Each structure stands twice: as structure tokens, then as C-alpha cells.
Amino acid sequence: MSKNISKLSGRKGLKDNLFKRMVDATSKSKNGKEIRQLAEEYHVGMSTIHGAESFYEFLRPEHKEKKAWICNGSACMCAGTQGKIRKKLSEKLGEDNIGMMFCLGHCYETNAFHYNGHNYAGNDIDQIDEIIKGKKINSKKNVFQKFCDKNYTYGR
Amino acid sequence: MYSKSFATKTILMGDDLSSIDQFKELVSNVLKKDKKETLKTVTESNLCGRGGAGFPTGMKWNLCSQQKVEKKYVVCNADEGDSGAYSDRYLLEEQPLKVIFGMLVCAYIIGSDEGVLYIRGEYPKSIEIINGAINELKKANLLGKNILGTNFSCDMTICIGQGAYICGEESALIASIEGRRAEVDVRPPFPVVEGLYKKPTVVNNVETLAAIPCILKFGAKTFSSVGNAKSAGTKLVCLDSLFKKPGVYEIDMGTPMKKIINEIGEGFVQPVKALQVGGPLGGVIPIKEVEKLNLDFQEFTKAGFMLGHGSVVSIPESFSMVKYIHHLFKFSSDESCGKCFPGRLGSYRGKEMFDQALNKSNKIPIKLLNELLVTMKKGCLCALCGAIPVPISNILKYFTHEFKDDINQSA
């Protein structure tokens, strides 16, 4: 069965990648219309798309409803920093709006959380008001020794 | 700074590939050489997969290059989900050209014209930087059609992970990209024969690919002369915030762990009783045992642990090991793909046992727990649930004193 689906997906390949299309459709779809169209376009059943999209944490409605996510990786847990982060974020955003993500990769400074498409860690939580307002914060820069000759951040 | 090289010869953390001009020069050299010669260099370096599985990279590329199929793929596994690990994040954000160069060389050797980096969604900055680097390389005709005016073309794209740890496993990662449910596949066939879209595919970890530029620039011996034949070269090791000097460090394979802990990490900010090395599936090693080991894949395995991706999580003296085992079972239960019974059912049953131990509603049925661990180790389809018995068994062996009041010996 999976050979059949792999090959059907492969007809469109990486350039019109089914996984990316599914992620986009899930974020737009309110009544399953986009998912249905996608299934037809790729000649797979609805259950194939539903089976795949239901797998992912980020695509679940209860995840998408949250406003901030705390790192619940082992390093942050052992450092004992999550309680403080949860408390501060709950005060600002509401307890029901705080979710979890497994390991944001800031284990060297912990206190990690994700908000509005960005990761924060270390002492960043002390500037949570500015973060929520969308302002640039005075975060620790150059935590890793830089070698790249230019800033590859997209669009800059 | 949270990054530094302590290696005899810096392979991963240097500035030897930090500009488009340097990239252009290296690519130009590779395209002028015989592919077999380049493959021979990679093979002779003894570079093995840095994601944890440790498969020889040269062998993998060779197997794929031998497949008589026109369409092939290169996949960079940038789904670094292990807690305590941020070495791939460092490479993606600070050494993106090294990673992309490694992919390009692989594509050239195996005969592929398309590559994809599967980057976890938890790393938004990595996604942004790799995207930017790919665009810059395209503008410089170092990616895309007819690179540097040759017949070699290679496009690269990014897939963004959506929060599933299992996508760090190569067959689940491939299923994810294809739009299938990201469940682990039975192998054989291996991806080098039937991978992405059932075409021959090389799946390599970020750190593996990032080692390629230096190996090609300075020669295979630069890498193979460090460590030993099976654990060669340098390794990025990530020390967490409980070290006095947390950070990602490039270290020669074979370096004593005592040196890594006491000299490079400069010890701990509070008393630590054990280290979990290699992510949530890696061994939990009491400090006294860690200090006997060297940074070596085989040595760790022989001692009953796992070096894996090289992350180090420190477990403080004050942290309950009952709580830690609960954390491990909960992790495997939450992240299980659900395909195999021992993984799907076993991880949840284990979590349930420790839910009850933590809330004191029931003692841990030790006989049943040990049976469960054996069943998961022998019966699971992949390392996610199949390897979780390793750290749990380590804890039960070395920290028995913490459980004496919580165990039901007769159940």
C-alpha cells in the first residue's frame, strides 16, 4: 500500500510536495474542502491525508490554539526552569494558552519558550512585555562564535 | 560564547567555508575531479553517520551510486529532536554552507539532481538561514541548473517538520516528506535502494554532511588519524546549563569523558548524580562510571550505554529518578508512531506504572516492569521505543536505593 502512495506522491515530487501542501491546507481548511481537493489531486484517499495530518503535534487544533509553548525537554526539566516560565507566560497570556514543545535546542541556557514564530531562552522571559508587543528585545547576541561572512536570514 | 573547538584539527567549527567565494572554489575543485576519487576520500576518512546509527558514510554513498536508477535524492536529516542536543542547530545557523556543500557533493557522487533538508519546525531560525543560504547559492549559480557551467544540476529545498520526534528516524522522515503517515518502515529495502518516492536516496545527518568540506579540502587522514577506525574524527558534544561552561564543543573522538566534564565543561554548578548521553534514548550514566569512559561509540555501547548524537543532560542529585523514568516513558508514549504493539502499548503501560508511583497510588511492579523492558527492547520496530529500556535499565541498576520504598518485589 505505501509503495503505491509513495509513487503517487512522487509523480509531483519535491517541487509540489504533498507534505507541504497538506500542512498549508490544514492551516487554511475549516470544513475539509482543501483536504478533499488535495486528496483528489494526488489520487489518494481522504483517509491517507487525514492519517498523515493527524500524526503531527503542530497540526492539531489544540496545539494551534495556544499562544506560547514552553520547552519540556529533559535539560530544561532538570534545570527546574519551566515552572517560572509557565507562571510568567500564564500571567500574561492565560494559563489555557500555554502549550509545550519538546526541546527548542537552548539547553545551554534553558528557560526556553516559543512565541510568535521565534524561540526565546535565558533571560528573555524578563522582557516578555516587549516580546508580546512585537518589539525587538535586547537578547544575548552571538551566543555561538560567528564565521559566516553574511547574514543569511531570508529576505534581508 | 557557547561554542568552541577543542579539536586537534578543527573540522566542523572553523571558518574554512564561510563565504560564497570559498564555496565556489571548493565546488569547482570537486567538479574537476573524478567522482571515484572523491568517494574514495570520503570512504578512507572513516566518517560514520553522526545521527546515532553510525553507518559508514562512504559505503552509504557508494551503495546508492551503484543503483542503476536515473532519479535519486539526497536528504539532510535536520530533525534534531533529542533533548540536550543543539549541535545541528549550531551547524545549520552558523555553518550553513558546510551542510549544503556536503549535500551537493553527495548528490554529485550518487548521481542525484535534487536534495531536501528536513528541518524541525522547532528551529525557525535554522529554517530561515538555510533558506537564505540556498537562495544566495542559486543566485551565484552554485545551485540549480548547470552549476558553474557544467552538466551537473542540483536543486535544493526545505521541508519543515511539524513536531513529531519520530521523523528523526530515516524511514519515518521519508514517509513524512511523501505525505504518508510518519511511521517507521521495515527494512530492507534500505533507503539507498528504495528511499524517497521509492527512489535510491541517501539520508545523512547534518553533522555528517558538515564534515565533508574539511575532509575533501585537507584529506581523508585529517579525519581518520583522530580517534580510531570505527570512531574517527571529531564530534560535536553539547553540554547543558548545569555545567559551569555549557555549550557546543568540537572534541576529538577518544577524548576521556573526565576531561570533557572537568576541563571543557569545568564541572557542575550544583551536585550532579548522572548524565544522560545521547538524548532520551541514550544511557543514564552515574558520574563515577562516565569518568571511566572515552568519547567513543563502541566504548559506550560495550559499557551498556549509547553515545548517539553526543548530547549531555545532567541529572541533579536532588532530581527524583522515579520522576525521570516517568519523563522517559511519557516521552516515548507521546512520540510513538503507533505502528508496533510493543511501542504503542508498552510505552503507555510504562508511563502508567510511573504515574501511579509518582502519585503513590501503586508501587512499581518490578517483575512486570522488567518483562516490559525486555519486550520493548526485543519487539519494537525502531529505536524510539526499542531503546527507551536502555536508560531505564541503567537507572534501575545504578539507582536502586532511590526506589526501595516504591517497588513491589512480588509483582
Side-chain angles (χ1 to χ4, degrees), chain A residues 6 9 17 51 56 74 102-103 107-108 119 140 143 145-147 149 154, chain B residues 2-3 13 18 83 89 94 120 122 132 135 176-178 181 241 327:
Chain A
S6 297
S9 178
N17 175 252
Y56 299 100
S74 311
F102 192 83
C103 203
C107 321
Y108 49 92
N119 287 340
K140 199 183 281 184
V143 292
Q145 197 172 5
K146 296 243 170 258
F147 289 115
D149 66 338
Y154 182 68
Chain B
Y2 293 111
S3 65
M13 284 189 157
S18 52
S83 48
R89 187 171 80 77
E94 308 304 333
R120 60 196 302 255
E122 293 90 337
N135 288 337
S176 179
I177 298 173
E178 290 177 356
R181 194 170 165 86
S241 67
H327 167 72

PDB file of all heavy atoms in Angstrom, chain A residues 6 9 17 51 56 74 102-103 107-108 119 140 143 145-147 149 154, chain B residues 2-3 13 18 83 89 94 120 122 132 135 176-178 181 241 327:
ATOM      1  N   SER A   6       3.603   6.248  -2.113  1.00  0.00           N
ATOM      2  CA  SER A   6       4.915   6.882  -2.344  1.00  0.00           C
ATOM      3  C   SER A   6       5.060   7.268  -3.810  1.00  0.00           C
ATOM      4  O   SER A   6       5.517   8.364  -4.143  1.00  0.00           O
ATOM      5  CB  SER A   6       6.046   5.928  -1.977  1.00  0.00           C
ATOM      6  OG  SER A   6       6.036   5.602  -0.618  1.00  0.00           O
ATOM      7  N   SER A   9       2.703  10.130  -4.830  1.00  0.00           N
ATOM      8  CA  SER A   9       3.259  11.378  -4.309  1.00  0.00           C
ATOM      9  C   SER A   9       4.468  11.796  -5.127  1.00  0.00           C
ATOM     10  O   SER A   9       4.676  12.985  -5.411  1.00  0.00           O
ATOM     11  CB  SER A   9       3.635  11.187  -2.838  1.00  0.00           C
ATOM     12  OG  SER A   9       4.224  12.341  -2.294  1.00  0.00           O
ATOM     13  N   ASN A  17       5.395  19.348  -3.275  1.00  0.00           N
ATOM     14  CA  ASN A  17       5.468  18.327  -2.244  1.00  0.00           C
ATOM     15  C   ASN A  17       4.158  18.138  -1.477  1.00  0.00           C
ATOM     16  O   ASN A  17       3.592  19.113  -0.965  1.00  0.00           O
ATOM     17  CB  ASN A  17       6.620  18.735  -1.309  1.00  0.00           C
ATOM     18  CG  ASN A  17       6.755  17.843  -0.122  1.00  0.00           C
ATOM     19  OD1 ASN A  17       6.433  18.232   1.005  1.00  0.00           O
ATOM     20  ND2 ASN A  17       7.213  16.636  -0.350  1.00  0.00           N
ATOM     21  N   GLY A  51      -4.912  10.552   7.903  1.00  0.00           N
ATOM     22  CA  GLY A  51      -3.989   9.718   8.679  1.00  0.00           C
ATOM     23  C   GLY A  51      -2.652  10.403   8.862  1.00  0.00           C
ATOM     24  O   GLY A  51      -2.035  10.323   9.924  1.00  0.00           O
ATOM     25  N   TYR A  56       0.701  14.796  13.379  1.00  0.00           N
ATOM     26  CA  TYR A  56       1.634  15.845  13.781  1.00  0.00           C
ATOM     27  C   TYR A  56       1.093  16.739  14.888  1.00  0.00           C
ATOM     28  O   TYR A  56      -0.021  17.259  14.812  1.00  0.00           O
ATOM     29  CB  TYR A  56       2.018  16.701  12.579  1.00  0.00           C
ATOM     30  CG  TYR A  56       2.706  15.918  11.505  1.00  0.00           C
ATOM     31  CD1 TYR A  56       2.026  15.475  10.373  1.00  0.00           C
ATOM     32  CD2 TYR A  56       4.061  15.580  11.634  1.00  0.00           C
ATOM     33  CE1 TYR A  56       2.667  14.725   9.406  1.00  0.00           C
ATOM     34  CE2 TYR A  56       4.702  14.838  10.661  1.00  0.00           C
ATOM     35  CZ  TYR A  56       4.009  14.407   9.557  1.00  0.00           C
ATOM     36  OH  TYR A  56       4.644  13.668   8.595  1.00  0.00           O
ATOM     37  N   SER A  74      14.385  17.392  28.406  1.00  0.00           N
ATOM     38  CA  SER A  74      14.995  16.884  29.640  1.00  0.00           C
ATOM     39  C   SER A  74      15.895  17.918  30.306  1.00  0.00           C
ATOM     40  O   SER A  74      15.919  18.026  31.536  1.00  0.00           O
ATOM     41  CB  SER A  74      15.821  15.618  29.345  1.00  0.00           C
ATOM     42  OG  SER A  74      15.083  14.709  28.583  1.00  0.00           O
ATOM     43  N   PHE A 102       8.709  19.818  22.563  1.00  0.00           N
ATOM     44  CA  PHE A 102       9.814  19.009  23.081  1.00  0.00           C
ATOM     45  C   PHE A 102      11.136  19.439  22.476  1.00  0.00           C
ATOM     46  O   PHE A 102      11.455  19.102  21.353  1.00  0.00           O
ATOM     47  CB  PHE A 102       9.588  17.509  22.828  1.00  0.00           C
ATOM     48  CG  PHE A 102      10.555  16.658  23.607  1.00  0.00           C
ATOM     49  CD1 PHE A 102      10.299  16.342  24.929  1.00  0.00           C
ATOM     50  CD2 PHE A 102      11.737  16.215  23.033  1.00  0.00           C
ATOM     51  CE1 PHE A 102      11.197  15.579  25.671  1.00  0.00           C
ATOM     52  CE2 PHE A 102      12.645  15.452  23.766  1.00  0.00           C
ATOM     53  CZ  PHE A 102      12.370  15.130  25.083  1.00  0.00           C
ATOM     54  N   CYS A 103      11.851  20.205  23.312  1.00  0.00           N
ATOM     55  CA  CYS A 103      13.216  20.651  23.077  1.00  0.00           C
ATOM     56  C   CYS A 103      13.396  21.667  21.959  1.00  0.00           C
ATOM     57  O   CYS A 103      13.317  21.333  20.762  1.00  0.00           O
ATOM     58  CB  CYS A 103      14.218  19.510  22.902  1.00  0.00           C
ATOM     59  SG  CYS A 103      15.888  20.080  23.294  1.00  0.00           S
ATOM     60  N   CYS A 107      19.498  24.251  25.374  1.00  0.00           N
ATOM     61  CA  CYS A 107      19.805  23.523  26.598  1.00  0.00           C
ATOM     62  C   CYS A 107      20.956  24.164  27.375  1.00  0.00           C
ATOM     63  O   CYS A 107      21.117  23.924  28.562  1.00  0.00           O
ATOM     64  CB  CYS A 107      20.137  22.076  26.270  1.00  0.00           C
ATOM     65  SG  CYS A 107      19.073  21.404  24.968  1.00  0.00           S
ATOM     66  N   TYR A 108      21.771  24.977  26.722  1.00  0.00           N
ATOM     67  CA  TYR A 108      22.900  25.629  27.388  1.00  0.00           C
ATOM     68  C   TYR A 108      22.450  26.802  28.249  1.00  0.00           C
ATOM     69  O   TYR A 108      23.186  27.259  29.115  1.00  0.00           O
ATOM     70  CB  TYR A 108      23.947  26.102  26.359  1.00  0.00           C
ATOM     71  CG  TYR A 108      23.360  26.872  25.205  1.00  0.00           C
ATOM     72  CD1 TYR A 108      23.259  28.258  25.236  1.00  0.00           C
ATOM     73  CD2 TYR A 108      22.880  26.203  24.084  1.00  0.00           C
ATOM     74  CE1 TYR A 108      22.692  28.955  24.188  1.00  0.00           C
ATOM     75  CE2 TYR A 108      22.300  26.894  23.028  1.00  0.00           C
ATOM     76  CZ  TYR A 108      22.210  28.265  23.080  1.00  0.00           C
ATOM     77  OH  TYR A 108      21.639  28.946  22.031  1.00  0.00           O
ATOM     78  N   ASN A 119      12.007  31.536  18.918  1.00  0.00           N
ATOM     79  CA  ASN A 119      12.415  30.894  20.176  1.00  0.00           C
ATOM     80  C   ASN A 119      13.098  31.917  21.072  1.00  0.00           C
ATOM     81  O   ASN A 119      13.848  32.772  20.593  1.00  0.00           O
ATOM     82  CB  ASN A 119      13.398  29.749  19.903  1.00  0.00           C
ATOM     83  CG  ASN A 119      12.731  28.537  19.292  1.00  0.00           C
ATOM     84  OD1 ASN A 119      11.520  28.364  19.393  1.00  0.00           O
ATOM     85  ND2 ASN A 119      13.512  27.692  18.655  1.00  0.00           N
ATOM     86  N   LYS A 140      20.578  38.150  24.216  1.00  0.00           N
ATOM     87  CA  LYS A 140      22.010  37.852  24.138  1.00  0.00           C
ATOM     88  C   LYS A 140      22.355  37.540  22.679  1.00  0.00           C
ATOM     89  O   LYS A 140      21.811  36.629  22.076  1.00  0.00           O
ATOM     90  CB  LYS A 140      22.312  36.613  24.998  1.00  0.00           C
ATOM     91  CG  LYS A 140      23.778  36.474  25.360  1.00  0.00           C
ATOM     92  CD  LYS A 140      24.029  35.205  26.151  1.00  0.00           C
ATOM     93  CE  LYS A 140      23.630  35.363  27.603  1.00  0.00           C
ATOM     94  NZ  LYS A 140      23.943  34.174  28.402  1.00  0.00           N
ATOM     95  N   VAL A 143      25.595  34.075  20.542  1.00  0.00           N
ATOM     96  CA  VAL A 143      25.867  33.044  21.545  1.00  0.00           C
ATOM     97  C   VAL A 143      26.829  32.007  20.996  1.00  0.00           C
ATOM     98  O   VAL A 143      27.505  31.323  21.753  1.00  0.00           O
ATOM     99  CB  VAL A 143      24.588  32.357  22.048  1.00  0.00           C
ATOM    100  CG1 VAL A 143      23.745  33.312  22.854  1.00  0.00           C
ATOM    101  CG2 VAL A 143      23.776  31.772  20.927  1.00  0.00           C
ATOM    102  N   GLN A 145      30.054  31.355  18.240  1.00  0.00           N
ATOM    103  CA  GLN A 145      31.100  32.083  17.525  1.00  0.00           C
ATOM    104  C   GLN A 145      30.742  32.127  16.046  1.00  0.00           C
ATOM    105  O   GLN A 145      30.405  31.102  15.454  1.00  0.00           O
ATOM    106  CB  GLN A 145      32.438  31.360  17.727  1.00  0.00           C
ATOM    107  CG  GLN A 145      33.629  32.208  17.385  1.00  0.00           C
ATOM    108  CD  GLN A 145      34.933  31.534  17.768  1.00  0.00           C
ATOM    109  OE1 GLN A 145      34.950  30.395  18.207  1.00  0.00           O
ATOM    110  NE2 GLN A 145      36.031  32.231  17.587  1.00  0.00           N
ATOM    111  N   LYS A 146      30.784  33.318  15.464  1.00  0.00           N
ATOM    112  CA  LYS A 146      30.309  33.507  14.098  1.00  0.00           C
ATOM    113  C   LYS A 146      31.447  33.332  13.097  1.00  0.00           C
ATOM    114  O   LYS A 146      32.529  33.865  13.273  1.00  0.00           O
ATOM    115  CB  LYS A 146      29.727  34.917  13.933  1.00  0.00           C
ATOM    116  CG  LYS A 146      28.520  35.167  14.770  1.00  0.00           C
ATOM    117  CD  LYS A 146      27.298  35.435  13.905  1.00  0.00           C
ATOM    118  CE  LYS A 146      26.026  35.459  14.702  1.00  0.00           C
ATOM    119  NZ  LYS A 146      25.253  34.266  14.591  1.00  0.00           N
ATOM    120  N   PHE A 147      31.140  32.608  12.013  1.00  0.00           N
ATOM    121  CA  PHE A 147      32.115  32.504  10.937  1.00  0.00           C
ATOM    122  C   PHE A 147      31.554  32.942   9.600  1.00  0.00           C
ATOM    123  O   PHE A 147      32.279  33.293   8.708  1.00  0.00           O
ATOM    124  CB  PHE A 147      32.626  31.054  10.822  1.00  0.00           C
ATOM    125  CG  PHE A 147      33.518  30.661  11.966  1.00  0.00           C
ATOM    126  CD1 PHE A 147      33.128  29.670  12.853  1.00  0.00           C
ATOM    127  CD2 PHE A 147      34.724  31.288  12.171  1.00  0.00           C
ATOM    128  CE1 PHE A 147      33.948  29.309  13.916  1.00  0.00           C
ATOM    129  CE2 PHE A 147      35.544  30.933  13.233  1.00  0.00           C
ATOM    130  CZ  PHE A 147      35.154  29.945  14.105  1.00  0.00           C
ATOM    131  N   ASP A 149      30.239  34.932   6.551  1.00  0.00           N
ATOM    132  CA  ASP A 149      30.575  36.298   6.186  1.00  0.00           C
ATOM    133  C   ASP A 149      29.341  37.160   6.000  1.00  0.00           C
ATOM    134  O   ASP A 149      29.437  38.363   5.854  1.00  0.00           O
ATOM    135  CB  ASP A 149      31.406  36.311   4.890  1.00  0.00           C
ATOM    136  CG  ASP A 149      30.609  35.811   3.675  1.00  0.00           C
ATOM    137  OD1 ASP A 149      29.614  35.087   3.856  1.00  0.00           O
ATOM    138  OD2 ASP A 149      30.987  36.161   2.551  1.00  0.00           O
ATOM    139  N   TYR A 154      16.561  35.140   5.609  1.00  0.00           N
ATOM    140  CA  TYR A 154      15.812  35.278   4.369  1.00  0.00           C
ATOM    141  C   TYR A 154      15.235  36.673   4.216  1.00  0.00           C
ATOM    142  O   TYR A 154      14.695  37.234   5.140  1.00  0.00           O
ATOM    143  CB  TYR A 154      14.665  34.261   4.391  1.00  0.00           C
ATOM    144  CG  TYR A 154      13.829  34.242   3.146  1.00  0.00           C
ATOM    145  CD1 TYR A 154      14.357  33.792   1.943  1.00  0.00           C
ATOM    146  CD2 TYR A 154      12.507  34.648   3.167  1.00  0.00           C
ATOM    147  CE1 TYR A 154      13.595  33.771   0.802  1.00  0.00           C
ATOM    148  CE2 TYR A 154      11.743  34.615   2.027  1.00  0.00           C
ATOM    149  CZ  TYR A 154      12.290  34.167   0.847  1.00  0.00           C
ATOM    150  OH  TYR A 154      11.528  34.128  -0.281  1.00  0.00           O
TER     151      TYR A 154
ATOM    152  N   TYR B   2      28.996  30.176  23.555  1.00  0.00           N
ATOM    153  CA  TYR B   2      28.629  28.801  23.872  1.00  0.00           C
ATOM    154  C   TYR B   2      29.112  27.821  22.820  1.00  0.00           C
ATOM    155  O   TYR B   2      28.550  26.747  22.665  1.00  0.00           O
ATOM    156  CB  TYR B   2      27.102  28.709  23.998  1.00  0.00           C
ATOM    157  CG  TYR B   2      26.535  29.463  25.183  1.00  0.00           C
ATOM    158  CD1 TYR B   2      25.767  30.604  24.995  1.00  0.00           C
ATOM    159  CD2 TYR B   2      26.770  29.027  26.480  1.00  0.00           C
ATOM    160  CE1 TYR B   2      25.239  31.282  26.079  1.00  0.00           C
ATOM    161  CE2 TYR B   2      26.240  29.702  27.570  1.00  0.00           C
ATOM    162  CZ  TYR B   2      25.474  30.828  27.363  1.00  0.00           C
ATOM    163  OH  TYR B   2      24.949  31.505  28.433  1.00  0.00           O
ATOM    164  N   SER B   3      30.141  28.186  22.059  1.00  0.00           N
ATOM    165  CA  SER B   3      30.687  27.251  21.085  1.00  0.00           C
ATOM    166  C   SER B   3      32.196  27.433  21.019  1.00  0.00           C
ATOM    167  O   SER B   3      32.708  28.545  21.092  1.00  0.00           O
ATOM    168  CB  SER B   3      30.085  27.501  19.691  1.00  0.00           C
ATOM    169  OG  SER B   3      30.466  28.757  19.188  1.00  0.00           O
ATOM    170  N   MET B  13      33.977  23.474  13.138  1.00  0.00           N
ATOM    171  CA  MET B  13      33.720  24.797  13.709  1.00  0.00           C
ATOM    172  C   MET B  13      34.597  25.897  13.132  1.00  0.00           C
ATOM    173  O   MET B  13      34.589  27.008  13.628  1.00  0.00           O
ATOM    174  CB  MET B  13      33.918  24.736  15.232  1.00  0.00           C
ATOM    175  CG  MET B  13      32.766  24.060  15.933  1.00  0.00           C
ATOM    176  SD  MET B  13      32.918  24.256  17.719  1.00  0.00           S
ATOM    177  CE  MET B  13      31.239  24.048  18.215  1.00  0.00           C
ATOM    178  N   SER B  18      33.033  29.763   4.942  1.00  0.00           N
ATOM    179  CA  SER B  18      32.117  30.758   5.499  1.00  0.00           C
ATOM    180  C   SER B  18      31.714  31.811   4.469  1.00  0.00           C
ATOM    181  O   SER B  18      31.000  32.756   4.798  1.00  0.00           O
ATOM    182  CB  SER B  18      32.756  31.433   6.707  1.00  0.00           C
ATOM    183  OG  SER B  18      34.043  31.927   6.365  1.00  0.00           O
ATOM    184  N   SER B  83      16.560  15.847  23.312  1.00  0.00           N
ATOM    185  CA  SER B  83      16.745  16.908  24.310  1.00  0.00           C
ATOM    186  C   SER B  83      18.202  16.914  24.724  1.00  0.00           C
ATOM    187  O   SER B  83      18.830  15.866  24.870  1.00  0.00           O
ATOM    188  CB  SER B  83      15.856  16.679  25.515  1.00  0.00           C
ATOM    189  OG  SER B  83      15.970  15.349  25.952  1.00  0.00           O
ATOM    190  N   ARG B  89      21.627  22.448  15.238  1.00  0.00           N
ATOM    191  CA  ARG B  89      21.158  23.832  15.194  1.00  0.00           C
ATOM    192  C   ARG B  89      22.345  24.772  15.018  1.00  0.00           C
ATOM    193  O   ARG B  89      22.293  25.698  14.207  1.00  0.00           O
ATOM    194  CB  ARG B  89      20.371  24.188  16.464  1.00  0.00           C
ATOM    195  CG  ARG B  89      19.724  25.560  16.401  1.00  0.00           C
ATOM    196  CD  ARG B  89      18.770  25.798  17.573  1.00  0.00           C
ATOM    197  NE  ARG B  89      19.446  26.175  18.797  1.00  0.00           N
ATOM    198  CZ  ARG B  89      19.938  27.376  19.062  1.00  0.00           C
ATOM    199  NH1 ARG B  89      19.830  28.353  18.178  1.00  0.00           N
ATOM    200  NH2 ARG B  89      20.539  27.602  20.213  1.00  0.00           N
ATOM    201  N   GLU B  94      25.131  28.521  11.953  1.00  0.00           N
ATOM    202  CA  GLU B  94      26.442  29.165  11.895  1.00  0.00           C
ATOM    203  C   GLU B  94      27.353  28.613  10.793  1.00  0.00           C
ATOM    204  O   GLU B  94      28.324  29.252  10.429  1.00  0.00           O
ATOM    205  CB  GLU B  94      27.164  29.003  13.254  1.00  0.00           C
ATOM    206  CG  GLU B  94      26.363  29.424  14.469  1.00  0.00           C
ATOM    207  CD  GLU B  94      25.851  30.849  14.420  1.00  0.00           C
ATOM    208  OE1 GLU B  94      26.476  31.693  13.760  1.00  0.00           O
ATOM    209  OE2 GLU B  94      24.807  31.129  15.046  1.00  0.00           O
ATOM    210  N   ARG B 120      13.439  20.568  11.557  1.00  0.00           N
ATOM    211  CA  ARG B 120      12.323  20.549  12.503  1.00  0.00           C
ATOM    212  C   ARG B 120      11.721  21.935  12.690  1.00  0.00           C
ATOM    213  O   ARG B 120      12.432  22.940  12.703  1.00  0.00           O
ATOM    214  CB  ARG B 120      12.773  19.936  13.837  1.00  0.00           C
ATOM    215  CG  ARG B 120      13.892  20.651  14.553  1.00  0.00           C
ATOM    216  CD  ARG B 120      14.494  19.745  15.616  1.00  0.00           C
ATOM    217  NE  ARG B 120      13.521  19.299  16.588  1.00  0.00           N
ATOM    218  CZ  ARG B 120      13.422  19.765  17.838  1.00  0.00           C
ATOM    219  NH1 ARG B 120      14.260  20.692  18.251  1.00  0.00           N
ATOM    220  NH2 ARG B 120      12.531  19.298  18.667  1.00  0.00           N
ATOM    221  N   GLU B 122      10.654  23.296  15.225  1.00  0.00           N
ATOM    222  CA  GLU B 122      11.067  23.943  16.475  1.00  0.00           C
ATOM    223  C   GLU B 122      12.310  24.815  16.283  1.00  0.00           C
ATOM    224  O   GLU B 122      12.751  25.476  17.238  1.00  0.00           O
ATOM    225  CB  GLU B 122      11.360  22.878  17.550  1.00  0.00           C
ATOM    226  CG  GLU B 122      10.128  22.103  18.022  1.00  0.00           C
ATOM    227  CD  GLU B 122       9.851  20.860  17.207  1.00  0.00           C
ATOM    228  OE1 GLU B 122      10.304  20.786  16.041  1.00  0.00           O
ATOM    229  OE2 GLU B 122       9.171  19.948  17.716  1.00  0.00           O
ATOM    230  N   GLY B 132      17.804  31.237   3.241  1.00  0.00           N
ATOM    231  CA  GLY B 132      18.592  32.365   2.727  1.00  0.00           C
ATOM    232  C   GLY B 132      19.851  31.896   2.033  1.00  0.00           C
ATOM    233  O   GLY B 132      20.209  32.397   0.957  1.00  0.00           O
ATOM    234  N   ASN B 135      19.077  30.430  -1.387  1.00  0.00           N
ATOM    235  CA  ASN B 135      18.777  31.500  -2.353  1.00  0.00           C
ATOM    236  C   ASN B 135      20.048  32.189  -2.838  1.00  0.00           C
ATOM    237  O   ASN B 135      20.201  32.480  -4.032  1.00  0.00           O
ATOM    238  CB  ASN B 135      17.829  32.520  -1.733  1.00  0.00           C
ATOM    239  CG  ASN B 135      16.418  31.962  -1.586  1.00  0.00           C
ATOM    240  OD1 ASN B 135      16.026  31.029  -2.280  1.00  0.00           O
ATOM    241  ND2 ASN B 135      15.666  32.501  -0.643  1.00  0.00           N
ATOM    242  N   SER B 176       7.247  11.007   5.924  1.00  0.00           N
ATOM    243  CA  SER B 176       6.725  12.355   6.202  1.00  0.00           C
ATOM    244  C   SER B 176       6.805  13.226   4.965  1.00  0.00           C
ATOM    245  O   SER B 176       5.830  13.878   4.582  1.00  0.00           O
ATOM    246  CB  SER B 176       7.514  12.965   7.359  1.00  0.00           C
ATOM    247  OG  SER B 176       7.051  14.259   7.642  1.00  0.00           O
ATOM    248  N   ILE B 177       7.969  13.253   4.318  1.00  0.00           N
ATOM    249  CA  ILE B 177       8.133  14.083   3.120  1.00  0.00           C
ATOM    250  C   ILE B 177       7.138  13.666   2.033  1.00  0.00           C
ATOM    251  O   ILE B 177       6.586  14.496   1.312  1.00  0.00           O
ATOM    252  CB  ILE B 177       9.575  13.985   2.555  1.00  0.00           C
ATOM    253  CG1 ILE B 177      10.595  14.510   3.569  1.00  0.00           C
ATOM    254  CG2 ILE B 177       9.707  14.760   1.246  1.00  0.00           C
ATOM    255  CD1 ILE B 177      12.050  14.301   3.155  1.00  0.00           C
ATOM    256  N   GLU B 178       6.897  12.370   1.931  1.00  0.00           N
ATOM    257  CA  GLU B 178       5.988  11.862   0.894  1.00  0.00           C
ATOM    258  C   GLU B 178       4.525  12.193   1.187  1.00  0.00           C
ATOM    259  O   GLU B 178       3.666  11.983   0.336  1.00  0.00           O
ATOM    260  CB  GLU B 178       6.143  10.344   0.771  1.00  0.00           C
ATOM    261  CG  GLU B 178       7.480   9.910   0.172  1.00  0.00           C
ATOM    262  CD  GLU B 178       7.631   8.410   0.129  1.00  0.00           C
ATOM    263  OE1 GLU B 178       6.732   7.701   0.642  1.00  0.00           O
ATOM    264  OE2 GLU B 178       8.638   7.929  -0.415  1.00  0.00           O
ATOM    265  N   ARG B 181       1.684   8.906   6.525  1.00  0.00           N
ATOM    266  CA  ARG B 181       1.775   8.946   7.990  1.00  0.00           C
ATOM    267  C   ARG B 181       3.211   8.568   8.358  1.00  0.00           C
ATOM    268  O   ARG B 181       3.749   7.586   7.834  1.00  0.00           O
ATOM    269  CB  ARG B 181       0.768   7.963   8.579  1.00  0.00           C
ATOM    270  CG  ARG B 181       0.526   8.129  10.047  1.00  0.00           C
ATOM    271  CD  ARG B 181      -0.665   7.280  10.489  1.00  0.00           C
ATOM    272  NE  ARG B 181      -0.715   7.147  11.923  1.00  0.00           N
ATOM    273  CZ  ARG B 181      -1.286   8.009  12.747  1.00  0.00           C
ATOM    274  NH1 ARG B 181      -1.894   9.078  12.263  1.00  0.00           N
ATOM    275  NH2 ARG B 181      -1.282   7.831  14.054  1.00  0.00           N
ATOM    276  N   SER B 241      23.027  23.374  30.709  1.00  0.00           N
ATOM    277  CA  SER B 241      23.197  24.543  31.573  1.00  0.00           C
ATOM    278  C   SER B 241      23.704  24.215  32.970  1.00  0.00           C
ATOM    279  O   SER B 241      24.068  25.126  33.721  1.00  0.00           O
ATOM    280  CB  SER B 241      21.857  25.291  31.708  1.00  0.00           C
ATOM    281  OG  SER B 241      20.937  24.484  32.423  1.00  0.00           O
ATOM    282  N   HIS B 327       9.326  10.643  33.007  1.00  0.00           N
ATOM    283  CA  HIS B 327       9.592  11.571  31.884  1.00  0.00           C
ATOM    284  C   HIS B 327       9.959  10.790  30.613  1.00  0.00           C
ATOM    285  O   HIS B 327       9.465  11.084  29.515  1.00  0.00           O
ATOM    286  CB  HIS B 327      10.710  12.519  32.310  1.00  0.00           C
ATOM    287  CG  HIS B 327      11.318  13.337  31.206  1.00  0.00           C
ATOM    288  ND1 HIS B 327      10.676  14.390  30.592  1.00  0.00           N
ATOM    289  CD2 HIS B 327      12.533  13.271  30.619  1.00  0.00           C
ATOM    290  CE1 HIS B 327      11.465  14.924  29.684  1.00  0.00           C
ATOM    291  NE2 HIS B 327      12.592  14.274  29.671  1.00  0.00           N
TER     292      HIS B 327
END
